[in-house]
């Protein structure tokens, strides 16, 4: 029996519940409770009560990677909840996840302002699979949920609706090397032609709307929801162009992409492997805007399980800290993706993975092995989720998207 103690926000006797909850549910719970002006502890208690009285068994949820979660319950509710978990043959973690998901389903947020989500996939160290993660995340967000294979869990049944919808997604190849464009069978925009760079630093000279420069990724499972803005050769000169730009350099990318936002639910940016002015503009674009719910926009950081990747991560975080201080903004690290992981590489790989996981915030969104399907998809210049939709790598991309929605 847990010791009874007074809740810090209630005059009634309550008991402390300490369990685990998947990060995506914990974030959704926090946001929804704030939207409805409901105490978090009351939301969890109501969810548990609804779960206990639910007439039908609820689908099992994916609780892999669940992290510590604590709240306060009315006296006696935790003991009753544990007995019900035993009767239903589910763990306390599974029962709590189902209860929270049920509360989210029964307590919709109603009308709220919709802002295009901006996910900046970045790491100044090359070779960490940044392009593969950016492409895979965008594909997973845009994918038709009805196209998912039988391997996909039924746990989405109680996840907030946005996680189950094929979103309108723009994938931006912001890296002058143009690997993303090439991997999807597109050529970079030649030097001197209108491109994203024109709209960033010479918008007055642009004659073609930026939306007209985007290209649909023509795969059935994405419908017409996934588009890409190809790379531009002029991007190699972007940093020097920004040094002479008369406007606010840090806002140049936002100025260019703002007219496109009404056409997309999410914009995913494959950033250059640098810490220059172009990266400053990308980080600023991913900041949390006024009225935007936590966890909507920010940085997704691919890393590897080795020491130099940790050093590069430290440099990126220092750059973020400088920008947030200089411009008084909030930039969220949405999560890390440990990419190309191979435990056969021994102690350095396994211990580095442990260190990434021990950070806690930002969380590790997925650990992706060094598998063949991504390389094969690049060879045939197709989207991974269309080329190998049932591969482990494809399912990991869906896992990342699910944790970010």
């Amino acid at each position: 029996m847990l010791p009874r103690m007074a809740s810090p926000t209630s005059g009634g006797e309550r008991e402390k519940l300490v369990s685990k909850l998947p990060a995506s549910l914990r974030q959704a719970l926090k946001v929804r409770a704030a939207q409805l002006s409901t105490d978090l502890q009351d939301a969890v208690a109501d969810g548990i009560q609804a779960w206990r009285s639910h007439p039908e068994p609820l689908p099992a949820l994916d609780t892999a990677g669940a992290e510590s979660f604590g709240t306060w319950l009315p006296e006696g509710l935790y003991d009753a909840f544990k007995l019900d978990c035993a009767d239903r043959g589910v763990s306390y973690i599974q029962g709590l996840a189902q209860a929270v998901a049920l509360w989210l389903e029964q307590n919709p947020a109603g009308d709220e302002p919709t802002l295009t989500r901006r996910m900046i996939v970045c790491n100044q160290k090359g070779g960490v699979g940044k392009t593969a993660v950016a492409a895979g995340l965008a594909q997973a967000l845009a994918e038709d949920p009805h196209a998912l294979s039988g391997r996909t869990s039924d746990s989405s049944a109680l996840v907030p609706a946005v996680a189950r919808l094929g979103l309108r997604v723009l994938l931006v190849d912001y890296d002058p090397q143009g690997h993303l464009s090439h991997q999807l069978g597109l050529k970079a925009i030649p030097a001197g032609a209108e491109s994203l760079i024109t709209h960033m630093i010479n918008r007055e000279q642009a004659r073609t709307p930026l939306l007209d420069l985007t290209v649909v990724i023509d795969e059935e499972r994405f419908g017409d929801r996934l588009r890409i803005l190809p790379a531009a050769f002029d991007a190699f000169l972007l940093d020097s162009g920004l040094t002479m730009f008369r406007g606010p350099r840090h806002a140049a990318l936002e100025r260019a992409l703002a007219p496109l936002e009404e056409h997309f639910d999410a914009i995913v940016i494959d950033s250059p492997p640098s810490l220059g002015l172009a990266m400053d503009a990308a980080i600023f674009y991913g900041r949390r805007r006024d009225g935007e719910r936590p966890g909507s926009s920010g940085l997704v950081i691919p890393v590897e399980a080795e020491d130099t990747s940790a050093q590069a991560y430290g440099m990126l975080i220092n750059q973020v800290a400088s920008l947030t201080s200089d411009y008084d903004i909030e930039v969220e690290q949405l999560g890390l993706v440990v990419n190309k992981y191979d435990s056969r590489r021994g102690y350095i790989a396994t211990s580095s993975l442990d260190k990434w996981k021990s950070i806690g915030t930002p969380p590790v969104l997925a650990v992706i092995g060094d598998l063949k399907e991504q390389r094969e998809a690049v060879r045939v210049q197709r989207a991974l989720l269309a080329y190998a939709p049932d591969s482990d790598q494809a399912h990991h991309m869906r896992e990342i998207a699910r944790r970010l929605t």
Side-chain angles (χ1 to χ4, degrees):
M1 181 70 174
L2 291 169
R4 292 172 174 78
M5 58 190 76
S7 162
T9 59
S10 173
E13 289 297 314
R14 288 181 175 252
E15 299 169 332
K16 183 71 178 291
L17 175 149
V18 178
S19 183
K20 292 184 177 181
L21 195 64
S24 57
L25 280 177
R26 188 174 65 250
Q27 182 66 30
L29 172 66
K30 177 182 176 182
V31 171
R32 188 68 53 78
Q35 290 171 337
L36 300 178
S37 300
T38 300
D39 285 340
L40 197 68
Q41 61 185 21
D42 293 336
V44 175
D46 289 347
I48 290 176
Q49 294 283 25
W51 177 84
R52 294 184 63 215
S53 61
H54 199 274
E56 300 293 336
L58 296 172
L61 299 178
D62 181 5
T63 58
E67 300 168 357
S68 180
F69 174 80
T71 188
W72 301 82
L73 298 179
E75 183 178 355
L77 181 56
Y78 187 44
D79 285 339
F81 170 67
K82 290 191 293 183
L83 289 174
D84 284 345
C85 285
D87 288 342
R88 300 183 188 192
V90 300
S91 68
Y92 303 152
I93 296 174
Q94 179 64 218
L96 179 62
Q98 292 178 355
V100 169
L102 184 60
W103 184 85
L104 290 167
E105 182 182 53
Q106 294 180 346
N107 294 271
D111 295 333
E112 56 182 280
T114 56
L115 294 173
T116 299
R117 304 184 62 192
R118 299 154 326 280
M119 302 176 189
I120 317 302
V121 182
C122 57
N123 190 327
Q124 66 95 17
K125 183 180 184 299
V128 297
K130 176 176 53 61
T131 295
V133 171
L137 170 58
Q139 293 163 34
L141 290 169
E143 188 176 38
D144 181 354
H146 299 295
L148 300 182
S149 73
R151 283 191 56 187
T152 303
S153 170
D154 289 335
S155 64
S156 62
L158 289 178
V159 176
V162 66
R164 305 197 298 270
L165 298 177
L167 304 181
R168 301 169 303 160
V169 182
L170 175 65
L171 183 55
V172 178
D173 192 348
Y174 191 50
D175 186 345
Q177 298 174 93
H179 294 316
L180 176 61
S181 300
H182 174 74
Q183 289 178 13
L184 294 173
L186 299 172
K187 293 182 178 180
I189 297 174
E194 287 193 23
S195 67
L196 172 62
I197 310 308
T198 311
H199 285 258
M200 286 181 66
I201 58 180
N202 292 306
R203 187 172 64 174
E204 295 75 13
Q205 300 178 16
R207 297 292 179 265
T208 305
L210 199 55
L211 182 63
D212 291 351
L213 300 178
T214 65
V215 180
V216 172
I217 303 301
D218 189 16
E219 296 284 358
E220 182 178 355
R221 68 193 309 114
F222 307 131
D224 60 355
R225 294 181 299 277
L226 179 60
R227 303 183 73 92
I228 179 173
L229 180 58
F233 281 114
D234 287 346
F236 283 108
L237 303 175
L238 180 55
D239 273 3
S240 60
L242 286 172
T243 61
M244 297 180 288
F245 182 57
R246 294 182 179 179
R249 294 176 299 192
H250 60 280
L253 181 60
E254 181 164 341
R255 183 177 84 146
L257 293 179
L260 277 65
E261 292 182 5
E262 65 178 289
H263 301 285
F264 298 97
D265 302 304
I267 295 177
V268 179
I269 295 180
D270 182 25
S271 302
S274 72
L275 298 175
L277 295 176
M279 193 61 228
D280 281 352
I283 294 171
F284 184 84
Y285 184 57
R287 76 192 185 283
R288 183 180 172 192
R289 296 177 179 173
D290 291 342
E292 189 170 23
R293 67 178 177 85
S296 292
S297 299
L299 312 183
V300 177
I301 308 171
V303 297
E304 288 186 286
E306 44 85 21
D307 293 340
T308 59
S309 195
Q311 295 167 4
Y313 173 72
M315 297 171 68
L316 174 63
I317 298 314
N318 286 338
Q319 181 180 17
V320 172
S322 295
L323 282 170
T324 56
S325 175
D326 290 346
Y327 299 108
D328 191 24
I329 58 176
E330 180 182 356
V331 178
E332 293 187 67
Q333 297 178 55
L334 301 179
L336 307 172
V337 178
V338 181
N339 200 25
K340 300 191 288 185
Y341 178 72
D342 188 347
S343 61
R344 295 174 298 180
R345 294 174 181 164
Y347 174 73
I348 290 180
T350 57
S351 61
S352 294
L353 176 60
D354 290 340
K355 288 181 180 178
W356 288 124
K357 289 182 175 179
S358 69
I359 292 177
T361 302
V364 172
L365 301 172
V367 179
I368 304 177
D370 189 7
L371 304 175
K372 65 178 182 177
E373 286 81 7
Q374 176 63 40
R375 293 190 293 274
E376 291 173 352
V378 170
R379 173 66 65 86
V380 299
Q381 296 186 318
R382 287 190 68 191
L384 170 67
L385 271 66
Y387 171 76
D390 295 324
S391 65
D392 285 341
Q393 287 172 313
H395 285 291
H396 280 307
M397 296 304 175
R398 297 183 187 108
E399 176 187 2
I400 295 168
R402 184 173 64 249
R403 295 193 65 180
L404 292 178
T405 53

